[in-house]
Amino acid sequence: MANTKHSVAREIIIDRLLHKRRGYSIYEMLEIINESLEFEGFTPVSLNTIRRDLETIEIRYKQHLDKQKRSYHLYYRYADPNFTIYNNVLTFGEIQHLHSALLAIRFCDPLQGTLMYKEMSTRLSDILDIDPASDPIVLYKHVPSMDDCRRFRTLYEYIRTKTPACITYNFEKKQGQREAVIHPYYILNDDAKYYLLGHDEKTGSPIKISISKIINITPADDTEFIPNHDYPLQEFYLKYFSQG
């Protein structure tokens, strides 16, 4: 397939859409695929990429596609409704184990767990041809916004790689935005909200920033990472997890 960096993700989605008897236009496929790619952190693809993907399915898998013109667009679907480029080899018991594993992930880490939980739910839905809206594989009580998901993924990489970050965020209601070089240490779930805990390079003090207030994150070039001395874990756990 064209643009092989995330071709498998596109194949799974296109294969699922081509099974639908209503058919899908290239424009509809593009919107659905790019939404999924964006969630995975990939850049969007073009209409020409989707066209080449459809041609690849016809040529590589020797599968005829029905093309019905409605209004100004062609709608595509498999001529053989039973054809698929993927085979579901999961047993019912294996699917139940996957459900349990997803629930465990969701329980252990509300934000990271929910991201993986939602991602896996979508992937299983694509493979098993299930509509998550009407027949969900998994349920989640709190789903972070798309913006919070992007911020979390970015911050997670900065924390994992111990990389100082230049962060622009809304400081106070009446004080506007602030830009600071932050040495990121942890993400804290406090009262159903998520915060970045780190060290403020300029003030030389600990800092707690609401993830939802972060506007932009870029690497702080030529800044050496300062290891965590602001949040002694024993005191931290006593403060946040020994109440009640």
Side-chain angles (χ1 to χ4, degrees), residues 56-151:
T56 301
I57 287 177
E58 289 187 295
I59 296 170
R60 179 190 297 175
Y61 299 103
K62 298 179 175 60
Q63 181 59 210
H64 176 66
L65 300 180
D66 278 342
K67 305 176 185 68
Q68 298 180 357
K69 188 166 185 179
R70 303 176 203 157
S71 184
Y72 298 100
H73 303 300
L74 285 175
Y75 284 73
Y76 295 79
R77 67 181 188 181
Y78 284 133
D80 177 3
N82 296 317
F83 177 81
T84 178
I85 59 178
Y86 292 95
N87 290 317
N88 173 29
V89 294
L90 297 177
T91 66
F92 179 75
E94 289 170 333
I95 294 172
Q96 285 185 314
H97 285 304
L98 282 173
H99 293 180
S100 299
L102 290 170
L103 288 170
I105 293 169
R106 173 67 178 82
F107 176 79
C108 291
D109 187 333
L111 185 50
Q112 176 72 353
T114 297
L115 291 175
M116 188 176 297
Y117 199 58
K118 185 175 181 180
E119 176 182 340
M120 289 299 295
S121 177
T122 301
R123 287 186 180 277
L124 287 172
S125 298
D126 289 336
I127 294 171
L128 304 178
D129 194 23
I130 295 174
D131 181 4
S134 60
D135 188 16
I137 292 177
V138 291
L139 299 172
Y140 18 84
K141 186 175 180 181
H142 300 292
V143 181
S145 69
M146 186 69 74
D147 286 338
D148 277 358
C149 289
R150 292 195 197 97
R151 296 183 188 108

Side-chain angles (χ1 to χ4, degrees), residues 1-10 41-43:
M1 275 197 168
N3 198 344
T4 56
K5 185 175 182 181
H6 40 62
S7 61
V8 174
R10 299 199 313 274
F42 292 114
T43 56

